Amino acid sequence: MKHRALPLGLGLLALSLAPSAQAWEGKTFKVCADPNNPPYSDKKGQGYENKIAELLAKELGKKVEYTWFPQRMGFIRNTLRSQDPETEEYKCDVIIGMPTGAELVATTQPYYTSTYALVYAKKRGWDDIESADDLDKLPESRKAKLKIAMYDGSPATTWLLNHKLVDYAVPVRSMTADATVNTAQSLEKDIKDGKLDMAIVWGPIAGYLELHNKGGFEVIPVKSEEGVKFEFPISIGVRIPDKARKEELNKLIEKNASAIQKILKDYRVPLVD
C-alpha cells in the first residue's frame, strides 16, 4: 500500500506530536494504579483510567504494566517513587488521574475537567428536584426527611453548611480502612439499603452510579459558587522532575483528545468546558 505524502504543515504537526522513545524505555507503559477503585481503575481493567492507559500505551507501541496499591496514604511512596531493590528501576512511571497541580508529583496539562454532582435515587419522593438549589426551597417537613450524605473534607460539606442543610445530612466517612471497598461502592450500597437517598459527590462517582443503575439515579452537575469550588481539572502525574515524560504525555493528550473524551463520556463522567 502506498503512503500519501502529507501536506507540509500536517507533516510537521505529525512529527511534533510523534512520541519519542527517549522517555519510554522498555516494552511496557508502567502505570501506578489502585486495584479496586471504580470507576477509575481495577485489576480487571474495567475503569476509565485503565482504558486511557491502554490508549496511550497503544500509541507508544507498548503494553500496559501495572503496579497496584490502594490509592490512600502511602500510594505515591509505594508506587511512583518506589524502586525495585535489585534493578533500581522505578516500579511505575505514571498515575493516570491526578488533580492538576497536585503536590508530590508533576502534572501534565489537564485532559478533562469535571464537577461535583447531586445524585439521588429516583422514586423516593425527590424526583421533583432539578438542581441542588431546589433543596433550599423545600419546606421544613420535607427537609426533615432528607437523607443526604455528608463526607468529611468535601466541598459539598461546605455547601451544606452554607445552605443550612447540614442538620439534615448523614455523616459518612469518605475512606475506610477496608481497601476492598471504595467510595462509589459504599455509596451505592448505602443508597440501595435505604440509609441514604442522595449525595453531592465528585462527578465520576455520580457517573458510576448512573451507569451501573440505569434509570435508577438522577445526576445533576453542581456549579461553583462564592466560597465553594466544585469544578477541578485532572491531569496525568509523573515523578518530579520527569520533564521529558511529562512533555511526551502532553503531546499524547493533545493527539488523543477526542478518544479520551469518548472514554469519559462512555463512563458518564460529567464534563466541564
Side-chain angles (χ1 to χ4, degrees):
M1 183 174 69
K2 294 182 178 179
H3 295 277
R4 288 188 302 169
L6 289 170
L8 180 59
L10 284 178
L12 290 174
L13 177 62
L15 285 173
S16 68
L17 292 176
S20 76
Q22 188 175 6
W24 306 101
E25 296 177 354
K27 298 179 180 179
T28 57
F29 182 69
K30 298 196 292 185
V31 177
C32 324
D34 189 319
N36 179 41
N37 196 25
Y40 312 102
S41 64
D42 67 20
K43 272 194 170 180
K44 294 181 180 178
Q46 299 175 128
Y48 68 81
E49 291 183 359
N50 294 114
K51 304 304 180 188
I52 292 171
E54 291 166 10
L55 171 70
L56 300 182
K58 186 177 180 180
E59 283 290 318
L60 293 164
K62 298 179 182 296
K63 292 184 178 180
V64 179
E65 176 186 320
Y66 286 103
T67 291
W68 301 110
F69 196 87
Q71 203 163 64
R72 301 168 185 218
M73 186 174 292
F75 174 71
I76 291 174
R77 172 167 47 84
N78 287 284
T79 57
L80 193 67
R81 291 183 175 177
S82 180
Q83 292 173 282
D84 185 296
E86 295 185 2
T87 65
E88 296 186 346
E89 290 183 357
Y90 285 104
K91 292 180 178 178
C92 50
D93 299 317
V94 301
I95 301 172
I96 297 298
M98 289 294 292
T100 303
E103 296 179 355
L104 304 180
V105 300
T107 55
T108 64
Q109 63 177 284
Y111 62 90
Y112 77 95
T113 297
S114 188
T115 183
Y116 279 69
L118 171 67
V119 55
Y120 65 77
K122 293 181 180 177
K123 299 180 180 178
R124 292 192 187 176
W126 307 109
D127 291 5
D128 58 326
I129 301 296
E130 296 180 349
S131 73
D133 288 340
D134 284 348
L135 297 176
D136 272 342
K137 303 170 187 172
L138 294 173
E140 288 300 319
S141 59
R142 291 190 68 191
K143 286 181 179 177
K145 297 177 181 177
L146 276 176
K147 290 187 286 187
I148 182 168
M150 181 172 66
Y151 290 97
D152 50 300
S154 167
T157 297
T158 305
W159 187 90
L160 290 169
L161 283 166
N162 290 353
H163 289 259
K164 297 181 172 53
L165 291 167
V166 72
D167 288 342
Y168 310 103
V170 180
V172 181
R173 292 179 63 183
S174 57
M175 191 176 295
T176 70
D178 185 358
T180 64
V181 178
N182 81 337
T183 302
Q185 294 167 324
S186 60
L187 176 59
E188 182 179 33
K189 184 177 185 301
D190 285 346
I191 291 180
K192 285 185 174 179
D193 290 347
K195 295 178 181 176
L196 297 168
D197 282 337
M198 63 183 71
I200 297 176
V201 290
W202 178 229
I205 294 175
Y208 170 87
L209 295 175
E210 182 183 27
L211 187 62
H212 285 255
N213 301 273
K214 291 180 179 176
F217 286 82
E218 185 70 30
V219 173
I220 303 171
V222 181
K223 293 183 179 179
S224 297
E225 59 185 37
E226 186 174 355
V228 186
K229 180 176 174 57
F230 281 124
E231 298 96 355
F232 295 93
I234 300 299
S235 299
I236 296 175
V238 300
R239 275 180 297 280
I240 300 172
D242 195 347
K243 294 181 180 178
R245 199 181 312 275
K246 176 179 171 179
E247 290 308 310
E248 298 298 347
L249 286 167
N250 280 334
K251 293 172 184 174
L252 286 172
I253 288 170
E254 289 180 17
K255 182 182 178 184
N256 295 279
S258 295
I260 292 172
Q261 292 279 304
K262 182 180 184 308
I263 290 171
L264 295 168
K265 288 178 180 177
D266 286 346
Y267 281 76
R268 305 286 198 276
V269 176
L271 299 175
V272 177
D273 293 333

